[in-house]
Amino acid sequence: MRLPLSRVLPVALAVLAAVACLPVSAATASVRGPVPYVFPVDHPTYIVTVRRDLDPAEVAGLVGVTPVHVFRSALHGFAARLSPAQVAALEVLPGVESIEEDGTASPGWTF
C-alpha cells in the first residue's frame, strides 16, 4: 500500500521543522582545540645528533632514555627529555655530534 505524496509531505515537513528547532548540544557548542601533551618529567627536550653509522635509538638507550622521536632523514639523531646527568653522559660518548636544547627558531629579523 502506497501513501500519496499529499499525505506524506506534510508529516515529513513537520518532522524536519521539529528537528531544526532542537537546541545545539552543549558538548558540540564548546569544542576547544587540541590540548598539547605535557610530559610528566620536568626535564627539557634536547635534539641529539649522532654519526650516520650509529643507530640513534641505541645511543639513546646507552644513557637510559626513550626517544620522543628518532630522526633518520634531514637529521640523524633523536629528540628526548634529558636530565643534566644524561646530557653529561651523552657529551662524552664517541659518535655524538651535537646536543642542543629544543626551542623555537626565528629568522632574527623583523618587518
Side-chain angles (χ1 to χ4, degrees), residues 11-98:
V11 173
L13 289 175
V15 169
L16 286 174
V19 169
C21 292
L22 292 175
V24 175
S25 169
T28 58
S30 63
V31 174
R32 295 185 297 181
V35 177
Y37 177 74
V38 178
F39 288 95
V41 181
D42 59 351
H43 301 305
T45 303
Y46 287 86
I47 306 295
V48 179
T49 56
V50 299
R51 285 191 331 238
R52 291 262 175 207
D53 61 331
L54 297 175
D55 181 17
E58 287 181 13
V59 174
L62 291 174
V63 293
V65 174
T66 301
V68 175
H69 188 77
V70 176
F71 304 101
R72 298 188 193 275
S73 298
L75 293 176
H76 191 73
F78 63 92
R81 290 206 171 264
L82 301 174
S83 69
Q86 290 167 326
V87 172
L90 283 167
E91 287 174 339
V92 297
L93 282 178
V96 173
E97 295 177 343
S98 69

